[in-house]
Short mmCIF file of all heavy atoms in Angstrom, two decimals:
data_model
loop_
_atom_site.label_atom_id
_atom_site.label_comp_id
_atom_site.label_asym_id
_atom_site.label_seq_id
_atom_site.Cartn_x
_atom_site.Cartn_y
_atom_site.Cartn_z
N ARG A 659 -11.48 2.86 2.76
CA ARG A 659 -11.67 4.21 2.62
C ARG A 659 -11.31 4.78 1.23
O ARG A 659 -11.95 5.52 0.57
CB ARG A 659 -11.07 5.10 3.81
CG ARG A 659 -11.80 4.93 5.17
CD ARG A 659 -11.63 5.84 6.07
NE ARG A 659 -12.27 7.13 5.69
CZ ARG A 659 -13.53 7.48 5.69
NH1 ARG A 659 -14.43 6.53 6.07
NH2 ARG A 659 -13.99 8.51 5.33
N GLN A 660 -10.18 4.15 0.68
CA GLN A 660 -9.73 4.59 -0.70
C GLN A 660 -10.70 4.06 -1.66
O GLN A 660 -10.85 4.61 -2.72
CB GLN A 660 -8.37 4.06 -0.90
CG GLN A 660 -7.22 4.90 -0.07
CD GLN A 660 -5.89 4.35 -0.52
OE1 GLN A 660 -5.65 3.45 -1.20
NE2 GLN A 660 -4.92 5.13 0.05
N ALA A 661 -11.31 2.96 -1.40
CA ALA A 661 -12.22 2.20 -2.31
C ALA A 661 -13.52 3.08 -2.52
O ALA A 661 -14.32 2.82 -3.49
CB ALA A 661 -12.50 0.78 -1.82
N LEU A 662 -13.75 4.13 -1.53
CA LEU A 662 -14.91 4.98 -1.75
C LEU A 662 -14.90 5.67 -3.07
O LEU A 662 -15.92 6.09 -3.74
CB LEU A 662 -14.95 5.95 -0.54
CG LEU A 662 -15.42 5.49 0.79
CD1 LEU A 662 -15.13 6.41 1.84
CD2 LEU A 662 -16.82 5.12 0.75
N ALA A 663 -13.56 5.89 -3.49
CA ALA A 663 -13.36 6.53 -4.82
C ALA A 663 -14.02 5.86 -6.00
O ALA A 663 -14.29 6.46 -7.01
CB ALA A 663 -11.92 6.90 -4.99
N CYS A 664 -14.10 4.58 -5.96
CA CYS A 664 -14.62 3.76 -7.03
C CYS A 664 -16.08 3.42 -6.83
O CYS A 664 -16.57 2.71 -7.70
CB CYS A 664 -13.73 2.42 -7.32
SG CYS A 664 -13.91 1.26 -6.01
N SER A 665 -16.71 4.02 -5.83
CA SER A 665 -18.11 3.83 -5.58
C SER A 665 -18.92 4.60 -6.62
O SER A 665 -18.45 5.74 -7.01
CB SER A 665 -18.54 4.31 -4.22
OG SER A 665 -19.89 4.50 -3.96
N TYR A 666 -19.98 4.17 -7.03
CA TYR A 666 -20.78 4.72 -8.06
C TYR A 666 -22.22 4.86 -7.42
O TYR A 666 -22.95 3.74 -7.41
CB TYR A 666 -20.80 4.08 -9.38
CG TYR A 666 -21.68 4.78 -10.41
CD1 TYR A 666 -21.30 5.97 -11.03
CD2 TYR A 666 -22.86 4.23 -10.89
CE1 TYR A 666 -22.05 6.62 -11.88
CE2 TYR A 666 -23.61 4.84 -11.76
CZ TYR A 666 -23.31 6.08 -12.39
OH TYR A 666 -23.99 6.77 -13.33
N ALA A 667 -22.54 6.00 -6.81
CA ALA A 667 -23.85 6.02 -6.07
C ALA A 667 -24.50 7.37 -6.43
O ALA A 667 -24.82 8.08 -5.51
CB ALA A 667 -23.59 5.87 -4.53
N PRO A 668 -24.86 7.50 -7.72
CA PRO A 668 -25.51 8.93 -7.98
C PRO A 668 -27.06 9.03 -7.56
O PRO A 668 -27.53 10.13 -7.54
CB PRO A 668 -25.40 8.87 -9.59
CG PRO A 668 -25.43 7.50 -10.01
CD PRO A 668 -24.57 6.71 -8.85
N TYR A 669 -27.60 7.75 -7.26
CA TYR A 669 -29.07 7.83 -6.94
C TYR A 669 -29.35 8.03 -5.47
O TYR A 669 -30.10 8.69 -4.91
CB TYR A 669 -29.65 6.56 -7.46
CG TYR A 669 -29.34 6.45 -8.89
CD1 TYR A 669 -28.35 5.50 -9.39
CD2 TYR A 669 -29.90 7.42 -9.87
CE1 TYR A 669 -28.12 5.53 -10.74
CE2 TYR A 669 -29.55 7.40 -11.21
CZ TYR A 669 -28.60 6.41 -11.78
OH TYR A 669 -28.20 6.26 -12.92
N SER A 670 -28.50 7.06 -4.56
CA SER A 670 -28.75 7.22 -3.20
C SER A 670 -27.77 8.29 -2.52
O SER A 670 -28.00 8.75 -1.46
CB SER A 670 -28.28 5.84 -2.59
OG SER A 670 -27.02 5.56 -2.62
N GLY A 671 -26.61 8.48 -3.18
CA GLY A 671 -25.61 9.21 -2.53
C GLY A 671 -24.82 8.77 -1.46
O GLY A 671 -24.17 9.39 -0.71
N TYR A 672 -25.14 7.47 -1.10
CA TYR A 672 -24.52 6.69 -0.17
C TYR A 672 -23.36 5.87 -0.60
O TYR A 672 -23.49 4.69 -1.16
CB TYR A 672 -25.51 5.78 0.72
CG TYR A 672 -25.06 5.15 1.98
CD1 TYR A 672 -24.78 5.92 3.01
CD2 TYR A 672 -24.89 3.89 2.04
CE1 TYR A 672 -24.32 5.32 4.23
CE2 TYR A 672 -24.50 3.17 3.16
CZ TYR A 672 -24.12 4.01 4.24
OH TYR A 672 -23.71 3.49 5.46
N ARG A 673 -22.24 6.47 -0.52
CA ARG A 673 -21.05 5.68 -1.07
C ARG A 673 -20.45 4.80 0.05
O ARG A 673 -20.17 5.15 1.19
CB ARG A 673 -19.99 6.83 -1.46
CG ARG A 673 -20.49 7.62 -2.69
CD ARG A 673 -19.79 8.89 -2.90
NE ARG A 673 -18.39 8.96 -2.58
CZ ARG A 673 -17.37 8.64 -3.42
NH1 ARG A 673 -17.72 8.30 -4.72
NH2 ARG A 673 -16.10 8.72 -3.03
N VAL A 674 -20.05 3.55 -0.36
CA VAL A 674 -19.53 2.57 0.50
C VAL A 674 -18.32 2.02 -0.13
O VAL A 674 -18.21 1.71 -1.31
CB VAL A 674 -20.61 1.50 0.79
CG1 VAL A 674 -19.91 0.32 1.75
CG2 VAL A 674 -21.85 2.14 1.47
N GLY A 675 -17.26 1.72 0.66
CA GLY A 675 -16.06 1.04 0.25
C GLY A 675 -15.74 -0.21 1.12
O GLY A 675 -16.18 -0.16 2.35
N ALA A 676 -15.22 -1.10 0.49
CA ALA A 676 -15.00 -2.42 1.12
C ALA A 676 -13.46 -2.84 0.76
O ALA A 676 -13.10 -2.66 -0.28
CB ALA A 676 -15.98 -3.37 0.83
N ALA A 677 -12.75 -3.48 1.76
CA ALA A 677 -11.52 -4.04 1.46
C ALA A 677 -11.51 -5.29 2.26
O ALA A 677 -11.82 -5.51 3.40
CB ALA A 677 -10.38 -3.18 1.90
N ALA A 678 -10.88 -6.40 1.69
CA ALA A 678 -10.63 -7.62 2.45
C ALA A 678 -9.11 -8.11 2.15
O ALA A 678 -8.48 -8.03 1.12
CB ALA A 678 -11.57 -8.72 1.66
N ARG A 679 -8.62 -8.51 3.36
CA ARG A 679 -7.42 -9.14 3.39
C ARG A 679 -7.51 -10.64 3.17
O ARG A 679 -8.26 -11.25 3.90
CB ARG A 679 -6.55 -8.81 4.69
CG ARG A 679 -5.19 -9.43 4.71
CD ARG A 679 -4.44 -9.19 6.00
NE ARG A 679 -4.48 -7.77 6.43
CZ ARG A 679 -5.14 -7.21 7.30
NH1 ARG A 679 -5.93 -8.03 8.06
NH2 ARG A 679 -5.06 -5.90 7.63
N LEU A 680 -6.70 -11.21 2.24
CA LEU A 680 -6.82 -12.63 1.96
C LEU A 680 -5.64 -13.34 2.71
O LEU A 680 -4.76 -12.60 3.25
CB LEU A 680 -6.61 -12.85 0.50
CG LEU A 680 -7.66 -12.03 -0.42
CD1 LEU A 680 -7.29 -12.41 -1.90
CD2 LEU A 680 -8.99 -12.34 0.05
N ALA A 681 -5.80 -14.64 2.89
CA ALA A 681 -4.74 -15.39 3.65
C ALA A 681 -3.38 -15.17 3.03
O ALA A 681 -2.40 -15.20 3.84
CB ALA A 681 -5.09 -16.89 3.46
N SER A 682 -3.24 -14.92 1.70
CA SER A 682 -1.93 -14.72 1.02
C SER A 682 -1.36 -13.41 1.52
O SER A 682 -0.28 -13.07 1.18
CB SER A 682 -2.08 -14.79 -0.42
OG SER A 682 -2.91 -13.72 -0.88
N GLY A 683 -2.23 -12.49 2.03
CA GLY A 683 -1.80 -11.13 2.31
C GLY A 683 -2.33 -10.06 1.30
O GLY A 683 -2.19 -8.91 1.50
N ARG A 684 -2.71 -10.51 0.21
CA ARG A 684 -3.32 -9.68 -0.84
C ARG A 684 -4.53 -9.01 -0.40
O ARG A 684 -5.29 -9.52 0.43
CB ARG A 684 -3.60 -10.55 -2.12
CG ARG A 684 -4.24 -9.66 -3.23
CD ARG A 684 -4.37 -10.74 -4.47
NE ARG A 684 -5.23 -10.04 -5.42
CZ ARG A 684 -6.32 -10.54 -5.90
NH1 ARG A 684 -6.70 -11.84 -5.65
NH2 ARG A 684 -7.15 -9.87 -6.73
N ILE A 685 -4.78 -7.76 -0.89
CA ILE A 685 -5.99 -6.92 -0.48
C ILE A 685 -6.81 -6.69 -1.63
O ILE A 685 -6.29 -6.26 -2.68
CB ILE A 685 -5.53 -5.61 0.23
CG1 ILE A 685 -4.83 -5.93 1.60
CG2 ILE A 685 -6.75 -4.68 0.39
CD1 ILE A 685 -4.45 -4.71 2.43
N VAL A 686 -8.06 -6.93 -1.69
CA VAL A 686 -9.09 -6.81 -2.57
C VAL A 686 -10.03 -5.63 -2.18
O VAL A 686 -10.37 -5.75 -1.12
CB VAL A 686 -9.80 -8.08 -2.90
CG1 VAL A 686 -10.82 -7.88 -3.94
CG2 VAL A 686 -8.84 -9.29 -3.21
N THR A 687 -10.29 -4.75 -3.17
CA THR A 687 -11.08 -3.68 -2.77
C THR A 687 -12.30 -3.57 -3.74
O THR A 687 -12.21 -4.08 -4.89
CB THR A 687 -10.41 -2.34 -2.72
OG1 THR A 687 -9.92 -2.02 -4.07
CG2 THR A 687 -9.28 -2.28 -1.74
N ALA A 688 -13.35 -2.82 -3.30
CA ALA A 688 -14.46 -2.56 -4.15
C ALA A 688 -15.38 -1.43 -3.55
O ALA A 688 -15.33 -1.12 -2.39
CB ALA A 688 -15.40 -3.83 -4.38
N GLY A 689 -16.17 -0.88 -4.51
CA GLY A 689 -17.14 0.19 -3.99
C GLY A 689 -18.52 -0.28 -4.45
O GLY A 689 -18.68 -0.98 -5.47
N ASN A 690 -19.53 0.27 -3.84
CA ASN A 690 -20.93 -0.02 -4.25
C ASN A 690 -21.17 0.62 -5.66
O ASN A 690 -20.51 1.58 -6.04
CB ASN A 690 -22.06 0.47 -3.28
CG ASN A 690 -21.93 1.90 -2.89
OD1 ASN A 690 -20.82 2.51 -3.01
ND2 ASN A 690 -23.11 2.54 -2.79
N GLN A 691 -22.02 -0.13 -6.38
CA GLN A 691 -22.28 0.23 -7.87
C GLN A 691 -23.84 0.26 -7.97
O GLN A 691 -24.58 -0.67 -7.70
CB GLN A 691 -21.84 -0.91 -8.69
CG GLN A 691 -20.26 -1.03 -8.62
CD GLN A 691 -19.45 0.21 -8.94
OE1 GLN A 691 -19.62 0.77 -10.05
NE2 GLN A 691 -18.67 0.62 -8.20
N GLU A 692 -24.33 1.46 -8.33
CA GLU A 692 -25.82 1.67 -8.52
C GLU A 692 -26.17 1.71 -9.94
O GLU A 692 -25.31 1.96 -10.80
CB GLU A 692 -26.25 2.93 -7.78
CG GLU A 692 -26.15 2.91 -6.27
CD GLU A 692 -26.59 4.14 -5.62
OE1 GLU A 692 -26.87 5.17 -6.32
OE2 GLU A 692 -26.74 4.11 -4.34
N SER A 693 -27.41 1.36 -10.16
CA SER A 693 -28.01 1.42 -11.53
C SER A 693 -29.31 2.12 -11.50
O SER A 693 -30.13 2.01 -10.63
CB SER A 693 -28.13 -0.04 -11.99
OG SER A 693 -28.81 -0.04 -13.23
N PRO A 694 -29.67 2.80 -12.69
CA PRO A 694 -30.99 3.42 -12.76
C PRO A 694 -32.02 2.35 -12.62
O PRO A 694 -33.20 2.64 -12.55
CB PRO A 694 -30.98 4.34 -13.95
CG PRO A 694 -29.83 3.69 -14.80
CD PRO A 694 -28.90 3.16 -13.87
N VAL A 695 -31.72 1.14 -13.08
CA VAL A 695 -32.61 -0.03 -13.01
C VAL A 695 -32.66 -0.67 -11.75
O VAL A 695 -32.08 -1.69 -11.48
CB VAL A 695 -32.24 -0.90 -14.14
CG1 VAL A 695 -33.43 -2.03 -14.18
CG2 VAL A 695 -32.15 -0.34 -15.48
N PHE A 696 -33.29 0.01 -10.74
CA PHE A 696 -33.24 -0.42 -9.28
C PHE A 696 -34.06 -1.63 -9.29
O PHE A 696 -35.14 -1.74 -10.04
CB PHE A 696 -33.91 0.64 -8.44
CG PHE A 696 -33.87 0.21 -6.98
CD1 PHE A 696 -32.71 0.39 -6.21
CD2 PHE A 696 -34.94 -0.33 -6.36
CE1 PHE A 696 -32.87 0.00 -4.90
CE2 PHE A 696 -34.99 -0.77 -5.11
CZ PHE A 696 -33.84 -0.63 -4.27
N PRO A 697 -33.50 -2.75 -8.68
CA PRO A 697 -32.50 -2.87 -7.76
C PRO A 697 -31.23 -3.52 -8.34
O PRO A 697 -30.60 -4.45 -7.84
CB PRO A 697 -33.10 -3.77 -6.60
CG PRO A 697 -34.01 -4.67 -7.43
CD PRO A 697 -34.53 -3.82 -8.52
N ALA A 698 -30.89 -3.21 -9.55
CA ALA A 698 -29.78 -3.88 -10.11
C ALA A 698 -28.37 -3.56 -9.62
O ALA A 698 -27.51 -4.35 -9.94
CB ALA A 698 -29.79 -3.53 -11.69
N GLY A 699 -28.34 -2.51 -8.80
CA GLY A 699 -26.98 -2.23 -8.18
C GLY A 699 -26.53 -3.32 -7.09
O GLY A 699 -27.31 -4.09 -6.68
N LEU A 700 -25.39 -3.13 -6.72
CA LEU A 700 -24.75 -4.02 -5.65
C LEU A 700 -24.08 -3.18 -4.62
O LEU A 700 -23.39 -2.22 -4.94
CB LEU A 700 -23.90 -5.02 -6.24
CG LEU A 700 -24.57 -6.27 -6.96
CD1 LEU A 700 -23.45 -7.13 -7.56
CD2 LEU A 700 -25.43 -6.96 -5.98
N CYS A 701 -24.15 -3.56 -3.40
CA CYS A 701 -23.44 -3.02 -2.30
C CYS A 701 -21.79 -3.37 -2.57
O CYS A 701 -21.55 -4.37 -3.10
CB CYS A 701 -23.86 -3.65 -1.02
SG CYS A 701 -25.68 -3.44 -0.62
N ALA A 702 -21.03 -2.61 -1.84
CA ALA A 702 -19.64 -2.69 -1.97
C ALA A 702 -19.12 -4.25 -1.54
O ALA A 702 -18.26 -4.82 -2.08
CB ALA A 702 -19.00 -1.67 -1.15
#
């Protein structure tokens, strides 16, 4: 949910956040990233 803040979705307005827990316990996060050159963006 905190990763929603790093989402960049000015075209769809559909912000997505993702987080993964690794075996080491570390947590990695990401948000979706859109581009005006559709479909160059990526899901979170």
Side-chain angles (χ1 to χ4, degrees):
R659 292 205 61 76
Q660 287 182 358
L662 288 167
C664 69
S665 170
Y666 181 71
Y669 309 106
S670 71
Y672 188 66
R673 295 163 31 94
V674 177
R679 181 181 308 104
L680 309 182
S682 66
R684 180 175 163 230
I685 293 179
V686 180
T687 63
N690 58 323
Q691 303 296 308
E692 294 181 351
S693 169
V695 185
F696 183 81
L700 282 178
C701 302

